[in-house]
Amino acid sequence: MNPSNPPTEAATKPASAPAAAPSNFIRDIILEDLKTNKYNGLVQTRFPPEPNGYLHIGHAKAICLDFGLADEFGGKTNLRFDDTNPSKEETEYVDSIMADVKWLGFQWDGLFYASDYFGQLYEWAVQLTKAGKAYVDDLSADEIRQYRGTLTEPGKNSPYRDRTVEENLELFERMRAGDFPDGSRVLRAKIDMASPNLNMRDPVMYRILHAEHHRTGNKWCIYPMYDYAHGQSDSLEHVTHSMCTLEFEDHRPLYNWFIQQLGIFPSQQIEFDRLNLTYTLLSKRKLLQLVEERHVSGWDDPRMPTLVGIRRRGYTPEAIRNFVGAIGVSKTNGSIELAMLEHFVREDLNKRAPRVMAVLRPLKVVIDNYPENQVEEMEAVNNPEDPNAGTRRVPFSRVLYIEQDDFREVPPKQYFRLSPGREVRLRYGYFVTCTSVVKNDKGEVIEVHCTYDPATRGGNNPPDGRKVKSTIHWVSAAHAIDAEVRIYENLFTKEDPNQTEEGQDFTANLNPNSLEVLRDCKLEPSLANAAIESRYQFERLGYFCVDPESKPGKLVFNRTVALKDTWAKIEKRQPGKT
């Protein structure tokens, strides 16, 4: 499926709902450029992450746009690492980003690094300096900020702004040679200190930084700023449509200024709304804080919005691509309900995940009139949504486990599951009726005794036509395999985790109940050799994924998402929806 052109809403609603394709103004721009032959019919995009952290769900939107739109129009996409800040960048992040892009289902046409262009960027900086368009400034970072002015007041020229071309060239060469300490000098573009756009007030192009680069080592001690390197890197790669999020909109005039002054390939920058999710933080700095302060187990903690985290939780790349396509692209930042993302995950897993039976909080059930040494093989459907999924055989015996929630000694009103004197259906098994219970010293029920009706094998209604109001799942005690199951909830308690009381930071909104570990779970034996990252629907409980920490004889499952779909209900309540 082309992620930039996903199914319309009609694909996820009843047939009576009107089809409405998600908005994507960038597609319209590309169509117009192709119509006018602006780039000789070429579409070249790029995904340019800085390798200073792990990618998150917000980056997935950019990835799907960059790769998806290029693919739609027969173009190409480069993966380029904007590695211009060696103090924060690591090879670990480079490797993880490449793995994430591939996991999402994309393959780049060219692999590049901004550091590939350090030599050319330096030569272009010299060219601008010779043209009187750049100068070396001795002001400190704080002084530069003071001189820059405000949104209502113009900036002031640096006292070093009128240095001669010869002096600037000499100082810039000495900066490169390592003659000056960090922070003592910068190279700035000479534009307009009175510009209403603060980004055009003589922005810094190069700073001195004696730090080892993950690729170039100690070859350089001056590094280009992002605003200087980005557009020129695009131009070198002949990027036709350079997509970035809305916070860079005010940077576009500077992007264009450098390209125009240098007379190089005219890449164009296009800004779109970033992805924001409720109950989720997508700030690399804050995600790093969660990791460093051990609020989570690491970047791949299944509660994290990182791609490695949601992959470990059991999300599928198909679900993410479908979600990104459905939310569309606009020029206005907003917030998307987390429930909508979960809806697409649930919808995808419903089609592909095999059904199995698992009991997370086991309660023993003994069927007194069932033969003690008898074991039957019950036929169970692997996936009712997939006619080719087939069936499997599930062992049934005298002693079973059911969920504790599926029994009440004193049932409340409208409770139709197992209770004394009540008959229920065991999924794929028999009708059983509770006859008695066994309690411990605390008065807690630890064992339920039942009788079964042999005429209801397979869970079928008996010849006398009587029916039951509840069907529950089970696992044969003698055949069950043990597993640890981790139940995940939202990491934050507030829709906007950044909303805090005075004096607090976002960690005050962490959900203390975001993880529950169940260590005495009982699973049907077909799961004994479940592979890492394989996904299942535990019937009546939700979708679960095998965690990488699983080992033979010690299975660990993560709950991906519960069965309840709150977004589907929200969607149906919207005006015009049926």
Side-chain angles (χ1 to χ4, degrees), residues 322-385:
N322 291 340
F323 165 70
V324 168
I327 62 178
V329 184
S330 75
K331 277 282 191 179
T332 305
N333 279 325
S335 188
I336 305 295
E337 294 281 349
L338 178 60
M340 183 179 179
L341 171 59
E342 292 178 339
H343 164 77
F344 280 93
V345 173
R346 194 178 287 109
E347 182 180 62
D348 186 67
L349 290 175
N350 183 50
K351 299 173 185 175
R352 69 176 68 244
R355 274 53 168 172
V356 294
M357 291 194 289
V359 175
L360 305 189
R361 297 171 176 85
L363 174 64
K364 183 182 288 188
V365 172
V366 179
I367 305 175
D368 293 321
N369 63 332
Y370 191 88
E372 279 200 39
N373 297 319
Q374 180 171 299
V375 176
E376 296 181 79
E377 295 288 333
M378 300 301 186
E379 187 174 36
V381 177
N382 286 332
N383 188 338
E385 301 296 323

Side-chain angles (χ1 to χ4, degrees), residues 359-432:
V359 175
L360 305 189
R361 297 171 176 85
L363 174 64
K364 183 182 288 188
V365 172
V366 179
I367 305 175
D368 293 321
N369 63 332
Y370 191 88
E372 279 200 39
N373 297 319
Q374 180 171 299
V375 176
E376 296 181 79
E377 295 288 333
M378 300 301 186
E379 187 174 36
V381 177
N382 286 332
N383 188 338
E385 301 296 323
D386 181 1
N388 297 317
T391 60
R392 68 190 186 283
R393 311 296 287 181
V394 181
F396 184 93
S397 62
R398 185 172 185 266
V399 182
L400 311 172
Y401 290 115
I402 66 169
E403 290 287 345
Q404 292 177 12
D405 285 346
D406 284 338
F407 175 81
R408 287 289 182 273
E409 185 178 16
V410 182
K413 191 175 180 179
Q414 301 299 310
Y415 183 88
F416 299 114
R417 285 169 274 176
L418 195 61
S419 60
R422 179 169 292 158
E423 187 174 47
V424 300
R425 175 188 288 106
L426 295 179
R427 178 81 158 147
Y428 308 120
Y430 292 96
F431 281 24
V432 296

Side-chain angles (χ1 to χ4, degrees), residues 492-512:
F492 295 97
T493 57
K494 287 187 177 181
E495 284 197 4
D496 181 359
N498 288 308
Q499 288 187 348
T500 60
E501 301 294 332
E502 186 176 353
Q504 296 180 328
D505 74 355
F506 71 96
T507 57
N509 291 325
L510 283 167
N511 179 6

Side-chain angles (χ1 to χ4, degrees), residues 47 49-51 53 55 79 81 93-101:
F47 175 58
E50 181 182 0
L55 298 184
L79 173 61
F81 292 98
Y93 299 135
V94 170
D95 294 340
S96 72
I97 289 169
M98 289 194 288
D100 285 342
V101 172

Side-chain angles (χ1 to χ4, degrees), residues 363 409 437-447:
L363 174 64
E409 185 178 16
V437 300
V438 177
K439 299 181 180 181
N440 60 17
D441 294 341
K442 299 178 182 178
E444 300 166 333
V445 175
I446 59 172
E447 189 172 293

